[in-house]
Amino acid sequence: MSRILSGIQPSGNLHIGNYFAMMQPMIEYQKNHELFCFIVNYHALTSTENSRELRENTLAAALDFLALGLDPQKCFFWVQSDIPEVTELTWILSCQTSLGLLERSHSYKDKIARGVTPNAGLFAYPVLMAADILLYQSEIIPVGRDQKQHIEITRDIAQRFNSVYGETFVLPEARISDELAVIPGIDGQKMSKSYGNTIDIFEDEASLKKKVMRIVTDSTPVAEPKNPDSCSVFQLYALFAEKEKTANLRERYLSGGVGYGEVKKELFALIWEYFAPYREKRKMLASDPGEIRNILKQGADKTRSVAVKTLDEVRRKVGLMY
Ligand code: ADP
Ligand code: TRP
């Protein structure tokens, strides 16, 4: 049984890009894999100084996962900072990481290009992520395509460590599903909490409708044929609809006569209906935040034993035990 691990940042409401690329596959994996799923609040600290928001988003992300079907009895589910051992491993791995490797990070360069003034934490972000993965000897990491390079950096760091100190870490592999690699936001670029273009999983009805109606399209007149493959509305529709319905919509696009407004209304109805049972469950869970904290605490206790085992070995190998 292979060990699967992935995490998500509590940096805003979780959205349908997060859901299809990461959350839904993870929830599936718990059935027949050893699953490690966590909320990466140390990572979120690289980009927020609002403590109240970070606290609220952390609990909200936990609620989202539980409402969507993650079962803490069947997996390891915790909040990153509840196992601070990961920061010690981050330091040790930092000493095995060349500056050049971090300087080549696309996500770092991308943030700078967008005008973010970087702190040292943002620069070291991939090392913390490597520690997340290696601390639990994870084999498979399901993520969207934007995270691929982070997994490659993790492998580089692990290989370097193994060659200096002897076989210690499992080399992880990214698992990226092609059709889910990049889910578009309402402006057509990658859906992301940091671009303000998301459709959230637990959006209320009025705002969901507003957002779906705002999805950017080209201006092909209703009667003309349209290209489904370059249309964000179509791509989102395909995530929610059954295969037959999607094939049918493709035909309607290609033959002309369908308007974007009409398809958007169908898309809104699909999304609203898809998440309906999860909305109910979330409402129920949200009424008892103490219980959510309990679940997370127990999750951390259970996970820590795995972390401590790896860290002990690493401390011994690098010469910190004297
Ligand atoms: P965001 O960009 O919204 O802050 P995160 O960086 O927290 O999202 O991503 C959490 C997970 O969801 C990662 O595995 C990431 O690859 C995936 N993901 C996020 N947005 C998308 C998207 N638009 N398409 C595909 N995968 C995505
Ligand atoms: N960097 C990831 C993201 O923004 C989140 C993350 C942190 C992660 N640690 C991880 C993902 C370990 C997979 C494995 O999406």
Side-chain angles (χ1 to χ4, degrees), residues 263-312:
V263 186
K264 285 177 178 177
K265 281 191 192 132
E266 290 176 35
L267 174 61
F268 159 74
L270 274 175
I271 302 178
W272 185 249
E273 206 176 302
Y274 184 98
F275 289 117
Y278 307 117
R279 260 195 307 275
E280 287 306 307
K281 177 130 183 251
R282 193 179 191 285
K283 214 186 281 168
M284 214 177 68
L285 290 166
S287 65
D288 191 357
E291 177 55 17
I292 305 297
R293 288 196 183 88
N294 270 342
I295 291 174
L296 293 170
K297 164 103 185 28
Q298 283 167 17
D301 290 346
K302 171 165 137 186
T303 314
R304 173 175 269 122
S305 56
V306 184
V308 167
K309 189 158 165 271
T310 310
L311 192 60
D312 274 355

Side-chain angles (χ1 to χ4, degrees), residues 2-6 21-22 25 29 32-33 139-145 147-148 151 172-178 180-181:
S2 37
R3 185 170 285 185
I4 301 200
L5 171 142
S6 194
M22 187 272 194
Y29 286 135
N32 45 15
H33 290 84
E139 296 163 39
I140 298 170
I141 320 295
V143 282
R145 188 172 293 145
Q147 297 298 316
K148 185 166 181 259
I151 315 297
E173 276 176 32
R175 180 166 294 172
I176 300 165
S177 133
D178 265 348
L180 303 174

Side-chain angles (χ1 to χ4, degrees), residues 8-9 15 17-18 21-22 143-144 146-147 180-183 190-193:
I8 206 154
Q9 292 197 54
H15 53 75
N18 298 139
M22 187 272 194
V143 282
D146 60 322
Q147 297 298 316
L180 303 174
V182 183
I183 292 162
K190 178 199 147 196
M191 186 178 288
S192 171
K193 295 177 218 107

Side-chain angles (χ1 to χ4, degrees), residues 5-9 38 40 43 80 125 128-129 132-133 141-143 146-147 150-151:
L5 171 142
S6 194
I8 206 154
Q9 292 197 54
F38 63 130
V40 299
H43 276 107
Q80 188 183 31
Y125 183 112
L128 176 58
M129 182 156 161
D132 282 333
I133 294 172
I141 320 295
V143 282
D146 60 322
Q147 297 298 316
H150 285 148
I151 315 297

Side-chain angles (χ1 to χ4, degrees), residues 13-267:
N13 293 338
L14 301 186
H15 53 75
I16 60 182
N18 298 139
Y19 177 71
F20 284 103
M22 187 272 194
M23 302 169 84
Q24 190 200 35
M26 293 287 276
I27 290 163
E28 274 303 302
Y29 286 135
Q30 74 186 345
K31 293 183 189 151
N32 45 15
H33 290 84
E34 202 181 9
L35 183 74
F36 285 66
C37 180
F38 63 130
I39 298 166
V40 299
N41 56 346
Y42 280 140
H43 276 107
L45 266 188
T46 61
S47 53
T48 181
E49 291 175 346
N50 187 327
S51 51
R52 184 183 50 80
E53 235 173 59
L54 183 57
R55 269 195 303 272
E56 288 174 1
N57 287 339
T58 303
L59 266 186
L63 267 173
D64 288 355
F65 266 110
L66 296 170
L68 291 165
L70 195 78
D71 179 351
Q73 302 301 326
K74 292 200 185 123
C75 68
F76 294 80
F77 181 51
W78 76 104
V79 174
Q80 188 183 31
S81 65
D82 284 339
I83 306 189
E85 282 83 356
V86 74
T87 59
E88 181 174 349
L89 183 61
T90 302
W91 176 254
I92 297 171
L93 296 179
S94 296
C95 302
Q96 292 298 315
T97 308
S98 72
L99 280 188
L101 188 63
L102 299 181
E103 278 163 356
R104 288 192 290 278
S105 158
H106 303 313
S107 76
Y108 180 72
K109 287 195 282 197
D110 190 51
K111 291 231 167 72
I112 291 186
R114 286 173 185 272
V116 171
T117 309
N119 52 47
L122 189 68
F123 187 63
Y125 183 112
V127 191
L128 176 58
M129 182 156 161
D132 282 333
I133 294 172
L134 302 176
L135 188 59
Y136 304 103
Q137 304 287 8
S138 323
E139 296 163 39
I140 298 170
I141 320 295
V143 282
R145 188 172 293 145
D146 60 322
Q147 297 298 316
K148 185 166 181 259
Q149 192 193 27
H150 285 148
I151 315 297
E152 285 159 5
I153 294 175
T154 302
R155 288 173 65 92
D156 281 353
I157 296 174
Q159 263 163 334
R160 166 99 213 259
F161 188 100
N162 286 350
S163 76
V164 173
Y165 294 109
E167 276 310 305
T168 308
F169 295 121
V170 169
L171 295 189
E173 276 176 32
R175 180 166 294 172
I176 300 165
S177 133
D178 265 348
E179 75 261 35
L180 303 174
V182 183
I183 292 162
I186 60 174
D187 59 357
Q189 56 170 342
K190 178 199 147 196
M191 186 178 288
S192 171
K193 295 177 218 107
S194 31
Y195 304 163
N197 63 356
T198 63
I199 294 176
D200 301 339
I201 301 169
F202 293 108
E203 194 97 49
D204 70 54
E205 191 170 5
S207 100
L208 176 64
K209 194 173 278 172
K210 211 157 96 197
K211 283 193 180 173
V212 172
M213 296 316 283
R214 268 177 44 210
I215 299 173
V216 174
T217 58
D218 60 26
S219 49
T220 316
V222 174
E224 301 279 311
K226 300 174 181 64
N227 181 358
D229 299 317
S230 62
C231 176
S232 305
V233 184
F234 181 84
Q235 283 167 37
L236 294 171
Y237 185 99
L239 295 171
F240 290 94
E242 282 154 18
K243 281 208 168 70
E244 259 168 51
K245 271 185 98 170
T246 305
N248 180 270
L249 183 64
R250 175 176 285 279
E251 282 308 308
R252 287 159 68 204
Y253 264 67
L254 296 174
S255 54
V258 67
Y260 290 124
E262 184 189 328
V263 186
K264 285 177 178 177
K265 281 191 192 132
E266 290 176 35
L267 174 61

